[in-house]
Amino acid sequence: MKRRNLSRLALAGILSTTVFLHLNTWAAAPVLRVMVHDSFDLPKPLLAQFEKDAGVKLSLIKGGDAGEMLNKLILTKSRPVADVVYGIDNTLAAKASAAGVLAPSQAAAGPLGAALTAVDYGYVTLNFDKAALAKKGVALPQSLQDLTQPAYKKWLVVENPATSSPGFAFLLATIAGMGEEQAFEWWGRMRANGLKVSKGWTEAYYTHFSRNGGAYPLVVSYASSPAAEVFYSKEKLTESPTGNLFLKGGVYRQMEGVGLIAGGKQPEAAKKFAAFMTSVPVQEALQTTMWMFPTQAGVARAEVMRHAPEPASFESLPSEQIAEKSAQWIARWTKVVLK
């Protein structure tokens, strides 16, 4: 009996020492601060595996919308609040570069420049409610110009480009697709035809879009939204209740990247996180968590993404032009649409 008790005491001591050492090792792990936009979402097991492999503890800092996030990084440039950032897209890359918030890189310049590694991409476009259109008995518009006609009065809800990333991307699409002057003429006619403006995507999609009980059968959303409708449905669906409407001047491709923060405290761990974001497990997972398309070749598409076909064509503008003229365009949009 004494031997057994001694064995138990010895085992308890070993376990206590092991737990103590493990906790001390974890407590000593450096913290990697990662600034992300509010839509960042990856499975917890993936993040935990990264922490284990990289020997760090992650601190995820939600920075709001992508534009708001970048502004926070600019304001704190002298004393960086993060070591690495994910979510700066092609509409903001030039602004981030000009502000000097990203660490210089020796890598060859990619689609987002040398300081950002492309992680995912998606399309801002029009979504339509199939049931609402069937009830109205009116054919889908074939162009953005059609939407200015009386038959489509009070059909469309958009997000304010001053406060919404998809709203801003859709404004850029109209400018790229129609030209600046014609685009703002179109916006003026849309205002007269009952255009609804919301502060952000959540309000537009879940309050004003007819699919969710609102009055507007068209909404500015994402090409992946129909797939998300199927994925999150409580009933098993073989077809999405919403569809994409790819019109000239109404589709904008967004590409998001990851980059090191200039002056960050953990540059080596930050590099590991950048590589992690382009790894196969993350590229597969982000399709049904953040509803974006993977940038890495050969990554399998999630089965549900068959409900999210990519457009044959889309609009884009040089990041430098966006950085130079975005404030002017938003001010003009506000005057034309809201005042």
Side-chain angles (χ1 to χ4, degrees), residues 93 105 107-118:
S105 171
L112 296 176
L116 286 167
T117 299

Side-chain angles (χ1 to χ4, degrees), residues 41-43 46 86 118-121 224 227 231-232 275-306:
D41 182 19
L42 286 176
L46 271 183
Y86 160 76
V119 171
D120 54 61
Y121 66 96
S224 56
F231 187 83
Y232 292 117
F276 167 71
M277 291 300 292
T278 58
S279 66
V280 171
V282 171
Q283 293 280 292
E284 290 177 343
L286 62 80
Q287 298 176 58
T288 54
T289 56
M290 294 187 281
W291 296 100
M292 299 292 277
F293 297 98
T295 57
Q296 300 303 300
V299 174
R301 289 291 174 91
E303 196 279 333
V304 74
M305 292 298 269
R306 66 185 177 85

Side-chain angles (χ1 to χ4, degrees), residues 229-269:
E229 287 280 354
V230 173
F231 187 83
Y232 292 117
S233 175
K234 293 180 180 179
E235 56 182 310
K236 188 173 182 179
L237 300 176
T238 57
E239 181 183 337
S240 178
T242 66
N244 291 318
L245 186 58
F246 298 137
L247 301 178
K248 172 66 176 174
V251 185
Y252 198 87
R253 187 173 77 164
Q254 286 184 306
M255 181 173 286
E256 299 178 317
V258 59
L260 278 62
I261 301 297
K265 296 179 180 178
Q266 303 291 341
E268 293 307 312

Side-chain angles (χ1 to χ4, degrees), residues 58-72:
L58 283 173
S59 174
L60 297 176
I61 306 167
K62 292 278 181 105
D65 187 88
E68 183 183 358
M69 178 181 71
L70 177 56
N71 287 337
K72 288 179 179 178

